[in-house]
Amino acid sequence: MAPVQTVLVLGGTAEARALAAELTERGVHVVSSLAGRVANPRLPVGEVRVGGFGGPDGFARYLTENRVGVVVDATHPFAQRIGNSAVHGAAVARIPLLRLARRGWTAGEGDDWHWVGSLEEAATKATQLGERIFLTSGRQGLSAFAGCTGQWFLARCVDPPEPPLPPKIEILLDRGPYDVPGELRLLDEHCIDVLVTKDSGGTMTAAKLVAARMRGIPVVVVRRPARPVTEIVEDVTAAADWVSARLAR
């Protein structure tokens, strides 16, 4: 009887949790890996590990030592470091790797979007567009706005951010999913005139974009970082089918 192979899902996203559930239902042994940057993360079904791997070489060692047969990178679109380590480490260990990546957002009729390449560029653009800025780009990038002394900021994060921060800022601790009525209330109550976000994609946090369109508020959108080329799907079922096919070989 052949030894049981493990599927390693690099997670922390809704898609990663859905994939872990789907594969577990199919009888696959899944280990979900979380970075450990959120204090109380939503946990997937099955086995979970928390923490880094020690770069590409450490990732390759983990794959070999733990009989990993397939890797699925279902991390956040901006989790560039682990994405790079996964591609290079899987290549060294000769383990097939799939990227499960949600589709990015696309501006529609009535949207006033301003695309930038970094949070530093977002800070420059946002302060040109308004005075009361809603930051939904995550707690780790708030330092890019620390030098903005003339504007007021509302920053929504899952966990409390660490300094440096803008001098005039209110922190809202919350996590999605969000709905349009709630986002409209938030924009109105705080007199927001600019929204800053990363191109995270998906539906859990897209309501803010609809609300901004309805209020005529400009949106500064940070483009996704480049990732190494690998096989990629956008659908959880397609990812589960890909994994099942690889394990059957």
Side-chain angles (χ1 to χ4, degrees):
M1 184 175 180
V4 174
Q5 288 187 311
T6 294
V7 174
L8 178 65
V9 176
L10 303 177
T13 61
E15 292 83 3
R17 293 190 294 274
L19 179 60
E22 174 71 19
L23 291 174
T24 299
E25 287 184 4
R26 299 188 186 194
V28 176
H29 178 233
V30 179
V31 174
S32 295
S33 179
L34 306 181
R37 292 174 181 167
V38 177
N40 295 296
R42 292 183 175 128
L43 296 178
V45 299
E47 187 176 339
V48 177
R49 71 172 299 277
V50 178
F53 294 91
D57 292 338
F59 189 82
R61 284 194 300 274
Y62 177 90
L63 299 180
T64 302
E65 293 172 358
N66 291 274
R67 294 185 179 275
V68 174
V70 175
V71 179
V72 180
D73 177 5
T75 56
H76 190 277
F78 284 79
Q80 188 175 21
R81 180 179 298 178
I82 183 58
N84 293 342
S85 290
V87 169
H88 295 297
V92 169
R94 298 184 178 181
I95 303 298
L97 179 143
L98 178 71
R99 172 87 174 118
L100 171 56
R102 68 182 74 144
R103 183 173 299 182
W105 289 320
T106 303
E109 184 177 355
D111 285 322
D112 180 15
W113 289 13
H114 303 260
W115 290 89
V116 295
S118 67
L119 286 170
E120 288 73 22
E121 291 181 26
T124 299
K125 175 58 69 173
T127 54
Q128 293 170 352
L129 294 171
E131 298 294 327
R132 295 182 67 82
I133 302 170
F134 184 20
L135 300 177
T136 64
S137 51
R139 67 183 175 91
Q140 294 185 329
L142 294 183
S143 61
F145 300 85
C148 303
T149 59
Q151 292 75 26
W152 180 89
F153 294 88
L154 173 67
R156 183 165 63 193
C157 316
V158 175
D159 294 320
E162 297 180 356
L165 299 172
K168 293 184 285 188
I169 188 169
E170 179 178 332
I171 304 299
L172 174 62
L173 298 182
D174 196 8
R175 77 167 87 204
Y178 306 104
D179 58 31
V180 174
E183 297 292 65
L184 286 171
R185 286 194 299 272
L186 198 62
L187 297 179
D188 293 344
E189 289 172 3
H190 294 87
C191 301
I192 298 298
D193 55 15
V194 183
L195 169 66
V196 176
T197 185
K198 294 177 177 178
D199 181 20
S200 300
T203 60
M204 286 188 66
T205 61
K208 62 191 174 188
L209 302 174
V210 178
R213 181 192 312 139
M214 294 173 66
R215 291 294 185 260
I217 293 174
V219 182
V220 180
V221 187
V222 182
R223 295 186 186 91
R224 295 180 176 188
R227 291 285 195 104
V229 177
T230 187
E231 289 194 66
I232 186 169
V233 297
E234 298 176 346
D235 178 76
V236 170
T237 300
D241 290 343
W242 188 93
V243 170
S244 296
R246 293 304 182 280
L247 293 177
R249 291 181 179 178

